Each structure stands twice: as structure tokens, then as C-alpha cells.
Amino acid sequence: MQAGTYQLKLSAVLSGGTFLSVNTDLVYPNGMDAIQVTVQEATPLVAGFTADATEITAGCSVNFTNTSTGYQTSRTWTFEGGNPATSTEENPTVTYSTPGTYRVSLTITNACDDEDTKTETSYITVSAPELSADFSADFTSVAAGNTVNYTNNSIINSCDNDIHYAWTFEGGTPETSTEENPSVVYCTPGTHNVSLTISNSDGENTKNRNITVTENPLVADFTASTTEIEAGNYVNFTNTSTGIDINSNVTYEWTFEGGTPETSTEQNPRVLYSVQESYPASLAVSLKVTTPCDSKTKTIQGYITVTEPVNVVAPVANFICDSAIVEVGGSVHFTDISRNLPETRQWTFAGGTPETSTEQNPVVTYSEKGTFAVKLVVSNSAGRDSITIENYITVIADPIADFSCNTTEIEVGGSVNFFDRSTNEPTSWQWTFEGGTPETSTEQNPVVTYSEKGTFAVTLVVSNLAGEDAKTETNYISVVTDVEDFAVDNVSVYPNPTSSILNIEAENLVSVTILDMSGRIVYFAAENCSATSIDLSGFANAEYMVKVETSNGSSLKRIIKTR
């Protein structure tokens, strides 16, 4: 039918061939005896398509998108060198297994038998897979006892992302590894081979290099800022051990006779020497140095001489603790490091048990979540001093996992925005999305795409220094095809496509929601009827999802808004 305005009249033929004329005045009392219909020009039929990639590696797939204009009743794709070789889907996915350059063609037709074809020659270029092993190291010559970090630099052009790494480290610890970027300790001097083999379903490749390890004997040693002091003063100790060089896996174990602290694992600690039983006091210092290859200890008896203070001066208050962040119910060990020999101490612990103490180094328990101040007042015969640190102790509780999302019902290919609703300040998040892309995430509020029809679970594990918690919602996300109902049938949404009025009919209608294809709600209305109409004339020309809620369930339909 051509574009124009037409008059339609109604007539009927009864059984037996008798012609019956219908009096339209009974239908239209105002005298109208025909229905006027306007037929508009159709959008021209023009074939077109795009692909998400035109240069791929053999074994990879290409997603094609039909971008044709005009109303279409059928499509016929032809994929030279592809699998499948032909398709009638609107947006097919095709796998190419053989290197080469290939043609793609799309023919579309409509109900009037009009058709149009688009052909792209040399459209898809398929290259052969490539595996080329290579690696680098932060050192090619290193002293014994040190760690070398290896970095995989292999060239991998393949659709098989299941890459296996097989390292061999002659003279190293570990001797082998399957990590992508391993770290290795070398304890034995000499020239050693390093080998990396990468492999997947396309094959394997190996790269060899050498590393030189030099002699590096471990010797524990230390110095002090002074070896003779008056009681109430500090000594700064400096580790001067050799044979450790650049190694990051070194531990230090100090022991200070008569000092505060009595032990330390710092590399260069600071130690207070206060009241002794008698003067002068000759006190030992010991240092144990441990590397992955060796351990050495140095002890000097009588290294520090502490003498009786000549003049008593007013103390200077100060303190430290073993941990300023603690879980609810945990304890903190406080250490008085005040100078000038305080004789008395008065601690105040907001939120703690005990709330006060006169001990030199008390232990305090915190039973409630929050941040709390600590105050210390010290005194001697020369005077007094105090120090208060606000918000010094932070008490945290186990997190409680919870989450929500912007929609639980989407069409295949749609995305869902997830939101962390956990309490008690988690510091890390581990999501698992059954059927989603990505399958896992450590973001706080990830966005996930669902490409297959089904009903899928979501799991969130949250953690902080206090502990962790998990929440799983089974059958949480429903993914459907573009015209599939979620739960109920007998829902009518028409006309489709529509340029203005959209009619909805459903028994026990509760609400109607219209979403754009990103999942954003653009219309919502609560209903209490069996039919309603919505004016879409102000909506942009696009595709929308219509969610119809009834007392028996819900249904999701896709519609097209046209001019």
C-alpha cells in the first residue's frame, strides 16, 4: 500500500453467499459511515552492520551487530571462513579458526519482499596464535641471601587465556614456580640458569637466561649513640650488620637488659634506661639477624653503663602502645616512655577497662566500638607533666555484609549496578557474580553485565581488621530474553512499535514501570485496574523495557518508541 489517506467501510457475506450491508450509523451516530486511515512513508530499507573486532587471532569470536534501518522481517548473514557460515539471528556471534582475510555479507527483507544487501570484503582479518616466552629480573647479578623479582614479559596473542607458567630456578628458593611473576632467593654463589616455559592449547615456548650470585657472608653487628648515660635517658641503636644488602626478608631480634622496651624487632630501635637497683649498672645488648639463607647473633655483655642522675629534673610525659587499632573486646598494652625518671603515673583511658591506672605499663581492654583518648600524668620531686592524645585508640567491630542493586530483573546483555550496604566499616570487598561479567570483583560498588538467560546468585564477603562476614542471595538476578515474561502470562502491551499511546491490559494490575536499556527507570505508576494507557509522545525514540506488576507476579516486555 502506498502512502496516503484512505476510507475504510465495513461489509459482510453471510453463510450461503448473501451480501450484507452494515449500517454504520448504528456504530457512529454522528453520521460517519467510514473509518479514515492515514498510511505514512516507511523508513527506507538499508542494510548495515558493525563488529566488535575486525582483527583477531584464530580461535577467537566476533560479535556482529545489525545496524540496518527500516522495518525488517528477516535477515540472512554470510560469514566467509566463520562458524557458523550463515545465520538468521539479528546479532550473531561467529568464531574464526583459520588465519586469513574474510568477507561478511548481510541481506535484509521486509513484508513487501523488498530487500537490501551490504557486503564488506576483506572485513575480518584472522592471524595465527603467537606464544613467545620472555622475562626480565630486577637484578642479573646479586649477592647471596638476596631476593630477585622476576617479571613475565612474554608475548601472547591467543584466544585461549588459560596460560600456564612453568619456571625453573637453578640454585634458587623456590626451585620451581607456576606464578606469573615470582620472587626467588639465592643462597649459593655461582652462575645459575633461569628458565620460563609458557603454554596453552595453542602450544608452548621456552626462554632461558643466567643470573650471577656472589659471596655475601652474614655478620651481625651494631653501634650505639652512647654507651654511658645517666638514668632516665635514651640510647639510639644502629644496626650495622653486613651480608644483608638489598634483601627485604631480614628480621631483627634485639634484647636490651634493663631497657624499655626490653625487646624490639625494629632495625634501629630507641631504648630508655631508667632506675636501676644499683649504680653504675653494666647492661648487655644482643642482636640476632636472620635472612632466608642464614642467621647470626652478636651479644655484648656490659655494653651500656647507666649511672645515677646528678640532678633531678621535672619529667616529660610520653607513651606508646603495641597497637592503636583493636577489635571490640581486645586489649592494648601501653608503655610509659616518659623522660627524666617519673616517680608516679596516672593514666586515664576513655572507653577502656580499667578506666584509670597507676601502673607503669598497663594493659587495657576495650569493649565498645569507637575512637578514644588516652591521657598520662607523670611526676617526680622536681615537678609534673601530662600528655593527652585524642582519638588515639580505634576500636572496630566485625563487619556485617549487606548489599543492594538498582534492578534484579534485566534483559540478556543488560547491566546491574551493585551497592555495598555493609556496616561496621569494611575495608575490603570480594564479590562473586554467578553468570555475570566480571565473575568476581574487589570494588565496593561494581557494575556487572549478564549475557545469558537464567536466574543467578550473588555473594559478598566483607572484611576489616576485626574479621569478615558473608552474604549470599540465591536466585537474586533474573535475566530474560526481550519478550519473555517473568512470572505471569495474559499481559498485553500494544501497539508495538508505538509513536504515542501505549496500552496495557492485565488482570489485577498493580503497577507499571518503564526502563531504558541501561536499566534507568523513566516512568512509574501505581495502578488498581485491569487496563491503562500511557502517553509516550514525549519519550525519546528508542527501545524500552516495560515491567508490568500484577497481584499474581510480574511480566517484562520490550517495546519500540518510534516517531
Side-chain angles (χ1 to χ4, degrees):
M1 180 178 289
Q2 296 182 345
T5 302
Y6 299 88
Q7 303 292 326
L8 301 183
K9 292 187 176 182
L10 176 63
S11 63
V13 177
L14 299 177
S15 176
T18 302
F19 177 80
L20 174 66
S21 177
V22 178
N23 183 358
T24 56
D25 288 337
L26 298 176
V27 181
Y28 297 98
N30 60 1
M32 181 185 297
D33 61 357
I35 300 172
Q36 181 173 290
V37 176
T38 300
V39 179
Q40 299 177 345
E41 288 284 354
T43 303
L45 195 65
V46 179
F49 59 84
T50 60
D52 61 353
T54 57
E55 296 182 359
I56 62 171
T57 303
C60 293
S61 297
V62 177
N63 297 309
F64 290 91
T65 301
N66 173 27
T67 60
S68 305
T69 59
Y71 180 73
Q72 308 154 43
T73 57
S74 68
R75 306 153 199 86
T76 301
W77 297 81
T78 303
F79 305 105
E80 181 185 22
N83 182 21
T86 62
S87 176
T88 58
E89 294 182 11
E90 182 172 1
N91 302 308
T93 298
V94 181
T95 302
Y96 291 86
S97 302
T98 305
T101 303
Y102 300 107
R103 181 179 67 254
V104 176
S105 178
L106 170 62
T107 298
I108 58 174
T109 60
N110 62 19
C112 299
D113 293 329
D114 297 328
E115 73 173 32
D116 190 52
T117 300
K118 179 180 179 179
T119 300
E120 290 281 1
T121 59
S122 303
Y123 188 58
I124 302 296
T125 300
V126 183
S127 59
E130 179 184 3
L131 294 179
S132 179
D134 197 10
F135 62 89
S136 60
D138 49 6
F139 302 100
T140 57
S141 179
V142 68
N146 289 289
T147 299
V148 178
N149 299 307
Y150 288 93
T151 302
N152 166 54
N153 299 322
S154 302
I155 298 174
I156 302 170
N157 292 321
S158 173
C159 284
D160 182 0
N161 294 320
D162 187 17
I163 307 297
H164 299 278
Y165 302 92
W167 297 83
T168 301
F169 306 105
E170 183 182 41
T173 301
E175 296 181 356
T176 62
S177 176
T178 57
E179 295 181 12
E180 183 176 358
N181 302 302
S183 296
V184 180
V185 176
Y186 288 92
C187 297
T188 305
T191 300
H192 305 295
N193 176 258
V194 179
S195 175
L196 168 61
T197 298
I198 61 172
S199 62
N200 67 2
S201 60
D202 291 322
E204 67 176 41
N205 190 253
T206 300
K207 181 72 174 182
N208 290 282
R209 296 184 185 277
N210 288 332
I211 185 169
T212 301
V213 181
T214 60
E215 295 278 356
N216 191 33
L218 178 64
V219 177
D221 202 2
F222 56 86
T223 61
S225 57
T226 180
T227 59
E228 185 172 338
I229 58 169
E230 290 184 7
N233 290 292
Y234 285 90
V235 176
N236 296 315
F237 290 90
T238 301
N239 163 58
T240 58
S241 304
T242 58
I244 55 179
D245 293 342
I246 57 173
N247 197 292
S248 59
N249 297 317
V250 179
T251 61
Y252 305 94
E253 299 176 53
W254 296 83
T255 303
F256 306 105
E257 182 184 10
T260 301
E262 296 180 358
T263 62
S264 176
T265 57
E266 295 181 13
Q267 184 174 359
N268 302 303
R270 187 169 185 250
V271 181
L272 172 67
Y273 289 90
S274 53
V275 179
Q276 303 295 316
E277 294 181 357
S278 60
Y279 297 102
S282 297
L283 307 174
V285 175
S286 178
L287 170 62
K288 180 180 180 181
V289 181
T290 302
T291 74
C293 300
D294 202 358
S295 179
K296 290 290 190 293
T297 301
K298 180 173 183 177
T299 301
I300 303 179
Q301 300 292 339
Y303 186 58
I304 301 297
T305 300
V306 181
T307 60
E308 185 174 4
V310 177
N311 297 310
V312 177
V313 296
V316 177
N318 200 7
F319 62 84
I320 57 173
C321 71
D322 60 348
S323 176
I325 301 177
V326 64
E327 184 180 357
V328 169
S331 297
V332 179
H333 184 193
F334 292 89
T335 301
D336 170 29
I337 57 171
S338 305
R339 290 187 289 116
N340 301 331
L341 303 177
E343 296 174 354
T344 65
R345 299 162 184 84
Q346 182 62 53
W347 298 84
T348 302
F349 305 105
T353 302
E355 295 182 2
T356 63
S357 176
T358 58
E359 295 182 13
Q360 182 175 0
N361 303 310
V363 177
V364 181
T365 301
Y366 290 87
S367 301
E368 294 184 4
K369 175 185 173 184
T371 55
F372 303 102
V374 176
K375 179 180 180 180
L376 172 62
V377 180
V378 293
S379 64
N380 62 16
S381 59
R384 67 193 298 274
D385 188 40
S386 68
I387 181 175
T388 300
I389 303 180
E390 301 291 342
N391 301 320
Y392 185 61
I393 299 298
T394 300
V395 184
I396 59 177
D398 289 344
I400 300 175
D402 194 14
F403 59 86
S404 64
C405 65
N406 64 329
T407 179
T408 59
E409 303 169 340
I410 60 168
E411 183 185 357
V412 169
S415 296
V416 178
N417 298 308
F418 289 90
F419 305 103
D420 169 45
R421 304 298 187 196
S422 306
T423 55
N424 292 339
E425 301 174 0
T427 55
S428 68
W429 300 264
Q430 182 62 57
W431 298 82
T432 302
F433 304 105
E434 181 185 19
T437 301
E439 295 181 1
T440 62
S441 176
T442 56
E443 295 182 14
Q444 184 175 5
N445 301 307
V447 178
V448 181
T449 300
Y450 290 86
S451 302
E452 296 182 2
K453 172 185 172 183
T455 318
F456 303 106
V458 175
T459 298
L460 171 61
V461 179
V462 292
S463 64
N464 60 19
L465 291 177
E468 70 175 33
D469 188 42
K471 178 179 180 178
T472 298
E473 289 282 1
T474 58
N475 301 322
Y476 189 58
I477 300 297
S478 296
V479 185
V480 299
T481 56
D482 56 357
V483 295
E484 181 180 2
D485 289 347
F486 280 109
V488 297
D489 296 322
N490 301 323
V491 173
S492 297
V493 178
Y494 66 92
N496 187 17
T498 181
S499 60
S500 57
I501 300 301
L502 180 69
N503 299 306
I504 298 172
E505 296 179 359
E507 185 178 354
N508 299 320
L509 186 60
V510 175
S511 68
V512 176
T513 306
I514 301 179
L515 307 92
D516 63 20
M517 299 312 289
S518 68
R520 182 173 62 92
I521 296 175
V522 296
Y523 174 89
F524 174 81
E527 306 287 354
N528 185 15
C529 57
S530 60
T532 186
S533 296
I534 303 169
D535 186 0
L536 301 183
S537 57
F539 283 49
N541 297 329
E543 293 185 4
Y544 296 90
M545 299 301 298
V546 179
K547 181 180 179 183
V548 181
E549 289 281 355
T550 74
S551 59
N552 297 321
S554 62
S555 175
L556 194 68
K557 305 284 188 180
R558 185 174 71 169
I559 65 167
I560 300 175
K561 164 62 171 60
T562 61
R563 293 185 182 87

